[in-house]
Every structure is written in structure tokens, then in C-alpha cells.
Amino acid sequence: MMLGISWFASAKSEAILVSLDAEPTWEQLTSYIKITPDNVVKIFSPNPEFGQNVMTSLPMLIAEELDIDFNAVQVEQANYSLALYNRQFTGGSQSIRQAWKLLRTAGASARQMILTAASQEWNVPITELTTANGMVMHSFSGKSATYGSFASAASKIQVPKDIVLKENKNFRLLGTPQKNVEGPKIVKGEPLFGMDYQVNGMLIAMTERPQAFGMRLKSFDPTAAKKMPGIVDIFPIQLYEPTQKLAMFDTRTFNEVIAVVGKTTWDVMNARKALKVVWENAPEIKEPGMGGRDNVVPAGLESTKKHYEQMLEMDKKPGRVERKDGDPEKAFAEAKHVIERTYTAPFLAHNIMEPTNTFAHVQGDKVKIVGPIQGPDMVATTIATRLGIPKENIEIQLARMGGGFGRRAYGHYMLEAVLISKQINAPVKLIYKREDDMTAGIYRPMYQMTYRAAFDDKKSLTALHIKGGGVPESPLHANRFPAGTLDNYLAESWTIPSNVTIGAFRAPRSNFNAAAEQSFLDEISEYMGKDPIAFRLELLQRAKDNPVGKNNDYDPARYMGVLELVRDKSGWGKPENTDKKRGVSAYFCHNSYAAQVIDLQVKEGQVIVDQVTSALDCGVVVNPEGAKNMAEGAAIDGIGNALFGQLTLKDGRTDQKNFDTYRMIRHNEAPRKIDVHFVQNEVDPTGLGEPPFPPIFGAMANALYKATGKRFYHQPFAAQLT
Amino acid sequence: MIKKFTVRINKKSHTVMVDENMPLLWLLRDILDLKGTKYGCGVGSCGACTVHLNGSAVRSCQLPISVLGRQEITTIEGLAEKGDHPVQKAWLDEDVAQCGYCQPGQIMSAVALLNNTPKPTEEDIDNFMTGNICRCGTYMRIKKAILKAATSN
Ligand code: FES
Ligand code: FES
């Protein structure tokens, strides 16, 4: 009998389960598979799950090659383990891409081990054996037996090398729609999330931080707060040592925070209100960063209004040249007509639905962590450095994440929880209030991009100049489309330093570039009197036949493929659709291609999206059901952020602090229909979490133009509707 | 002030000693170990904490324990013993969830909607469900699941 050995089951229910069922004998075949003698198969899903459904699609890769009935498999989230797994990271739309060969090889290896064990036991050549649905068959003798019956012998066989994987045409499972393996637990509200984790004696902690970027702790008086019911202790913690070299995802808004620890969340929330803290303006900070460079965090209390002014100023100065083809200066000097447009976008908060949290228990030089994290190995490295302990002493159980979108790549909160547990010498769960999450976030940067196009007297496009930057990072991808399609091309970049913390946000940089670039292409195609899709295809044809430059980092043929697919599936240009207010957009990022058409209406200042047609090329689609769900979600998420998303600051304080002031897309604003189409090909999977997100911004801007006659250059678009 | 309260949750009575202002959300999660009801905002703006009070959807983060009396509270754990309420089944049929964090709240809202409006229009669904945010963007599947549950009733 299989237990619920959910590592999340509370101590109480675990005890009951153990008394009812004895632990079965699990035989381990590779790091990913366990089988019992009575043929229960368990697959460990290595990567953290944040809603992109890898807990279903990754085990599918294994099950395909293992040749078992996927519906009978038990899937379990693997813990962080350097010894067992290679790459336990969720981000960059890489999970399936990186696992494609690795996990199939694991499944095929385990199958091979079982076959070897069977051939030895039955004393028949391995070549005469076949498998199906977790059974081994020998047709000559008519023998058959379950995988489980060979599991013990197979587990002692060395993991084979040189495994041959199935050809795509022989897939039975991959490419078939499979439901989310955690669905039944989710709809019952089972405690799957870090937020839900609990052990006996666990305390609750929250951290108090400056209410403005550019400030730091001066002093605090915990006397009154400590007397509040349920409060155990209040103390400051320092995240990173001043000399600690920060690794890639070591970023945090404030290095010194005050921990308030108590018995219940409510106790801690109340005590925070009674805590007396004095903040002061922080000086400029220089800290050792990656690659020997110093991170410079400027002093000052920043404001959104000022940021926009600074960005416009930067646009007037020369930028850092990132790419130059031909002689763009000459082309612009000789141009008969120039179109120049500037696009901007604000900071965005991630607003993951499950607020930041982590359980930590430090005992001596051993650390146990349970919580949501996209990159456990990075945070383990950081914690090991900070505590001066070996990384092997850190155990991390990967909780299902209530959203990630890049936010949970930054594991500073795990370090916070660990330092609190160490100080208080007890198991503790750190929780951020929504306000903590939103006001001290790691935001999508502010961006600006200016596009200039030069035309000759025949309205032919002769040169393109793009110049962009942001607070504090530039969005520019100098070698992406339309680079490579024009003889004269110039790309420049600039940045504005800031003390507002920023980081990865679903399709970083692309999520803005697509809006700017695809709106601009729409506008210039109109000037040239060309159909927007035909114009893009024309440019791509040039990149395909006779590309300019060598570093173009996109595949024009796949780009064209999604544009053609969206044109055909949306009925673009068909007479019956000529009245529709529709916009098109296409973008390439994270190795995959996406094109979208939006149909919408604007009624009394409200945008009603009638339909989204999405065409995607992410190579082989492992699980069409999960892929479709994610592509639909990306469209809705994109529409919401394009229309409403923004986080603004005054004197270092965010204006939005919770969902009553931060505008999220709601049920009634979702499209009435979303169609998702995949290009059918045999390209190895190239990722899907991010690619369908960026183009929707451009499609929205272009459709809004059709509906209102007004171009939309500045996000959020809804703010400019009235 | 810490006081003694007896509350009715999922058809059982619980007697607890807690602060009279403690919201039902934290009573459920921290004291009664019912973790299905989620914290999303604490200000009544996201719907993650939705439970039923006498069959109607309420935001548990906005309800102090002192106002509950003996009224019947139902949480996601109390919806159906085996998790097979028609709405939960429809959710699985439509494979609604992405991260899943908002879904218990969405389901509790949907059940309350169907209790009052067994055959809702799409507009009824939009209006009723507007208080439940889903950052992953599962709104369309939620709508399909509600319509499906409505026809299977
Ligand atoms: S937590 Fe109650 S509505 Fe958001
Ligand atoms: S499924 Fe992730 S927030 Fe709704």
C-alpha cells in the first residue's frame, strides 16, 4: 500500500498514516524512479513547480520511455538534492528544454535495467523482450510479469550508458493531453504550499523594513510590541555581511530588517503595529557584485515622475552603441520622411498570489527549509556562505509555489527565515504580508524605447534606429528582429541607476520590447500602406534569404511560421473580419515564437476583449492541455498588465500597497474566447512559460488603435483611454 | 482582548481562546490547522480567503471571530468529504488550476454563486467572481467549469 507520504502532511496525520500502512519497499531505479514489488511506480519531478505544470510534463518524459501507464503513476515533488539532480531551477522557460533528453534517458535507462533483470531471470535474450504499460513480455514463451517483480534485481544493475531514445513518431504519451497531477489536491485545498507548512512548536515571524526605498534602520524600540500577546522576541537581522560577494540572485530591498516573532500570524501582525522604529536616509552603497564589479545603489528618495523625466533626458544623449549595420546616419540624413516614437512602461509588481514565505529550522550547523523557491541551489549557496556551513548541511523541501513569475528566483527571504530561526533557536515560518510583498518587491524595471524609421521618397524603409534604456536596466536586445532585416540599423542603450530593486519578471525585457517594437512596426506599416502581417513577413523573408549581419539571434522561418499560422487561424484579412477591431503582434524570446491577434471593442472607456488567437512554436508540445492552459494564462496576464499594471513611487514609497490599489485583471475583463494553436514540428521543445506573454502587449496596443484611432505609447494603456 | 469563543466550522463546534479581533482566516489557518483557506491580501480584495457563512460567500480575512456566533462556517475542507462536490469535479474536468493558490477561494465563490443562481449566465459569473483574483490567468477555465457544474446539477 502506498502511503500519503506527503512531506506536507502534518505531524498528526502522518502518525495516523504510518500506523495504518507499513512503508512499502521502494526500489530505486535512477534518481527519478522508485518501484515497489507490487508494481507501484513513483516518479520524482525534479524542478520546482509554480503553476507551469512541470510536475505533470516532466514525469511524462520519464513515463514515455519507461513505458508505463501514466495514470497509474504517483508523482512526487523531489527535494533539493545536489547528489541526485542536475538542474533544479525553474525559470527562463527552460525546464522542459533542459529535461527533454535527460529525463527521457532516465526513463529509458530504468526500462533497460528492468529488461536486463528480466532477461537474466528468464534466461532469454534481452532482444526478445518487449514492454507495455509496466509489464515485461516474452512472446516466444508467453511469459509476462510486472516491472515490480524485477524491481529489486533491476535496482542492483548499473545505470546503462548509450541509451537509445524513442523516435518522436513512436511517442504514445508525449503530445497527448494530460491533466495536472496535483489537480485533485488543489481542489480540496490540501496544504501544498510553503504558506501551509506547519510543525509542532513552530513560531511565526514577519519582518519590518523601511517604508521607502532609499531608507534604512536607524533605531527601534520593541518594548511595547514585546508586551503584546503571543510575542516571543523582536530583533534586527542583517541579511548579507558587508563583505559578502553577492551571487546572481542575491538581491534584496533592504539589508537590515527587524524580525517580529510570535505564536500566531495575528499576534505578529498586531505587534508590528506597536513597534516603534526610526528610519533614516541611507547613503550610497557600494557592494561587491558579480564578475568583480561593484553594485552601486544610489542614495535618495526616488519618484516615478522624476524617473520618466530622467528617461526622456537620457533619450536626448548618445547611448552605448550595441549594434550598427551599414550607415544609418547617412540613411537618416537622406531620408524623405522619418517616423519617431517613444514608448514607456512602468515598474510592475509580481503579485504572486501566495505571498512570500519560508519555513526554516536551524539546529547547530544543520538547516532545514521548506518553501517556495525557483532556484534552490543558488539560495543554498548563499545561505552556506552566510552561515559558514557546508552546502550539504542544507535541506530544502520544494513546496508548490503559488506563482513565481521570476519573483521567487530571489531567495533572500529564505536567508531571512534561516537567520531568524538561528537567532530564536526554534522552527519558524516567515510570512510576508501582501503589503510587504508589494511595497518591497523586486519589480519589473521601468523601460523606455525610442524607435526611428527612415523612408525614401517611395515610402520604402531605409533605416531603423532604436535607443532604449530603463531604471535601472536597459531592455535592449540588439540582435533580435528587426535587426538583420535592414541594411542600415543602429541600436543604442542606456541605464539610470536606482535604489529600487528590480529583477526577472515573466519574459524579462521582452515583456516591454514586444509592446514597443510591435506597435512601431504596426504604425510604420500603415504609413507604407502595407498589411501589418505582410510587412512583417516581408522583413523576415529578407532575414531568411539574405540576412544582414551574423549575430541575429532568431530563426526567421519559425518566426514566419507563427505569423502565417495566426493569420490563417484568425481569418486575418478575410472580408467577414474587416469590421473587427483587431491588432496583431509577434515576438521571439526564450527560444520560442509566438504570434497573437486580439479582437476587441471599447465601450464607455472599458476594453472588452472578444477573442485572442495565439499561434505558438515551442517545438514538440509535451502536454497540450498544460501548454494550452499556460498560453491562455499568459494572454490574460498580458492583457491585465498591458491595460492596468503599474507600480508608482513618491519619495521612495510605492503608491500601491495591496490589491485595493494595485489594479489586477479580473474575471469580467478576461477575453471571451482564447484560441491556442501550435505549429506542428519535430523541433526539440524550446520552452513556453514566457514566450506567449510579451506579444500580447503589442497586439493590445494595435487593436486599441483600431478601436479608438489613437496610438498607445505608454503603459498602462487603460489610463490613456479616457 | 483574549476571550473564549465557540464556533461552528464544517458542522463541528470548536472552542478556542483567542483575541476577539482575530479574523476567521487566521483562526482557520493558525489555530484550527485548516490550511485550505488562503491568505492573499488581508483587505478583502482578492478572494483567496473565501469561505461560506450560512451558505453565502464571505471573505474570512474581514470577519473577526467575535461576530461569528454560532453561524455555520464552511471551508473548502468541508465542501465534500471526498473532494467530489460537482464544482470540484468540474474544476478537474476543465483542468483549471495553474499554480492553484487562488483556486480554493475561486471554488468557494463558485459554489456560493450556484447555490443562489443554479443556472448562471456568463455575465452572472463575471459579476459574481470579480472579487477573486487569479494571477495565473485561469479565468476562462473557471467560467467553463462553473457552466459545466451548472449543467451537471
Ligand atoms: S485574503 Fe481575504 S480577500 Fe484577500
Ligand atoms: S491558479 Fe495561480 S493564482 Fe490562480
Coordinates of all heavy atoms in Angstrom, one line a residue, chain B residues 34-61:
Chain B
L34 N -6.7 24.4 9.5 CA -7.4 24.2 8.2 C -6.8 25.1 7.2 O -7.1 26.3 7.1 CB -8.9 24.6 8.4 CG -9.7 23.6 9.3 CD1 -11.0 24.1 9.7 CD2 -9.8 22.2 8.6
K35 N -5.8 24.6 6.4 CA -5.0 25.4 5.6 C -5.5 25.7 4.2 O -4.9 26.3 3.3 CB -3.6 24.8 5.5 CG -2.9 24.6 6.8 CD -2.3 26.0 7.3 CE -1.2 25.8 8.3 NZ -1.6 25.3 9.6
G36 N -6.7 25.1 3.9 CA -7.3 25.3 2.6 C -7.7 26.7 2.3 O -7.7 27.1 1.1
T37 N -8.1 27.4 3.3 CA -8.5 28.8 3.1 C -7.2 29.7 3.1 O -6.4 29.6 4.0 CB -9.3 29.3 4.3 OG1 -10.4 28.3 4.4 CG2 -9.9 30.7 4.1
K38 N -7.0 30.4 2.0 CA -5.7 31.0 1.7 C -5.7 32.5 2.1 O -6.7 33.2 2.0 CB -5.3 30.9 0.2 CG -5.3 29.4 -0.3 CD -4.3 28.6 0.5 CE -4.3 27.2 -0.1 NZ -3.6 26.2 0.8
Y39 N -4.5 32.9 2.4 CA -4.3 34.4 2.7 C -3.7 35.0 1.4 O -2.7 34.5 0.8 CB -3.2 34.6 3.8 CG -2.7 36.0 3.9 CD1 -3.5 37.1 4.2 CD2 -1.3 36.2 3.7 CE1 -2.9 38.3 4.2 CE2 -0.8 37.5 3.7 CZ -1.6 38.5 4.0 OH -1.1 39.8 4.1
G40 N -4.4 36.0 0.9 CA -3.8 36.7 -0.3 C -3.6 38.1 -0.1 O -2.6 38.7 -0.7
C41 N -4.5 38.8 0.6 CA -4.3 40.3 0.7 C -4.7 40.8 2.1 O -4.1 41.8 2.6 CB -5.2 41.0 -0.3 SG -7.0 40.8 0.0
G42 N -5.6 40.1 2.8 CA -6.0 40.6 4.1 C -6.8 41.8 4.2 O -7.2 42.3 5.2
V43 N -7.2 42.3 3.0 CA -8.0 43.5 3.0 C -9.3 43.3 2.2 O -10.0 44.3 1.8 CB -7.2 44.7 2.4 CG1 -6.0 45.1 3.3 CG2 -6.8 44.5 1.0
G44 N -9.7 42.1 1.9 CA -10.9 41.8 1.2 C -10.9 42.1 -0.3 O -12.0 42.2 -0.9
S45 N -9.7 42.1 -0.8 CA -9.6 42.5 -2.3 C -9.2 41.4 -3.2 O -9.1 41.6 -4.4 CB -8.6 43.6 -2.4 OG -9.1 44.8 -1.8
C46 N -9.0 40.1 -2.7 CA -8.5 39.1 -3.7 C -9.3 37.8 -3.7 O -9.3 37.1 -4.6 CB -7.1 38.8 -3.4 SG -6.8 37.7 -1.9
G47 N -10.1 37.6 -2.6 CA -11.0 36.4 -2.6 C -10.3 35.1 -2.3 O -11.0 34.1 -2.2
A48 N -9.0 35.1 -2.0 CA -8.3 33.8 -1.7 C -8.8 33.2 -0.5 O -8.7 32.0 -0.3 CB -6.8 34.1 -1.6
C49 N -9.4 34.0 0.4 CA -9.8 33.5 1.7 C -11.3 33.2 1.8 O -11.8 33.1 2.9 CB -9.4 34.6 2.8 SG -10.4 36.1 2.6
T50 N -11.9 33.1 0.7 CA -13.4 32.9 0.7 C -13.9 31.7 1.3 O -13.3 30.6 1.1 CB -13.9 33.0 -0.8 OG1 -13.4 34.2 -1.4 CG2 -15.4 32.9 -0.9
V51 N -14.8 31.8 2.2 CA -15.5 30.7 2.9 C -17.0 31.0 2.8 O -17.4 32.0 2.3 CB -15.0 30.5 4.4 CG1 -13.5 30.2 4.4 CG2 -15.4 31.7 5.2
H52 N -17.8 30.0 3.3 CA -19.2 30.3 3.4 C -19.7 30.6 4.8 O -19.3 29.9 5.7 CB -20.0 29.0 2.9 CG -19.8 28.8 1.4 ND1 -20.2 27.6 0.8 CD2 -19.1 29.5 0.5 CE1 -19.8 27.7 -0.5 NE2 -19.2 28.8 -0.7
L53 N -20.5 31.5 4.9 CA -21.2 31.8 6.2 C -22.7 31.6 5.9 O -23.2 32.4 5.1 CB -20.9 33.3 6.6 CG -21.5 33.8 7.9 CD1 -20.7 33.2 9.1 CD2 -21.4 35.3 8.0
N54 N -23.2 30.6 6.5 CA -24.6 30.2 6.2 C -24.8 30.1 4.7 O -25.8 30.5 4.2 CB -25.6 31.2 6.8 CG -25.5 31.4 8.3 OD1 -25.1 30.4 9.0 ND2 -25.7 32.6 8.8
G55 N -23.9 29.5 4.0 CA -24.0 29.2 2.6 C -23.6 30.4 1.7 O -23.6 30.2 0.5
S56 N -23.4 31.6 2.2 CA -23.0 32.7 1.4 C -21.5 32.9 1.4 O -20.9 32.7 2.4 CB -23.7 34.0 1.8 OG -25.1 33.9 1.6
A57 N -21.0 33.4 0.3 CA -19.5 33.6 0.2 C -19.2 34.8 1.0 O -19.8 35.9 0.9 CB -19.1 33.8 -1.2
V58 N -18.2 34.7 1.9 CA -17.6 35.8 2.6 C -16.1 35.8 2.6 O -15.5 34.7 2.4 CB -18.1 35.8 4.1 CG1 -19.6 36.2 4.2 CG2 -17.8 34.5 4.8
R59 N -15.5 36.9 2.8 CA -14.0 36.9 2.9 C -13.6 36.8 4.3 O -13.8 37.6 5.2 CB -13.5 38.3 2.4 CG -14.1 38.7 1.0 CD -13.6 37.9 -0.1 NE -14.2 38.4 -1.4 CZ -14.7 37.7 -2.3 NH1 -14.8 36.3 -2.2 NH2 -15.2 38.2 -3.4
S60 N -13.0 35.6 4.6 CA -12.7 35.3 6.0 C -11.7 36.3 6.6 O -11.6 36.4 7.8 CB -12.2 33.9 6.2 OG -11.0 33.7 5.5
C61 N -10.9 37.0 5.8 CA -9.9 37.9 6.4 C -10.6 39.1 6.9 O -10.0 39.9 7.7 CB -8.9 38.3 5.3 SG -9.5 39.4 4.0

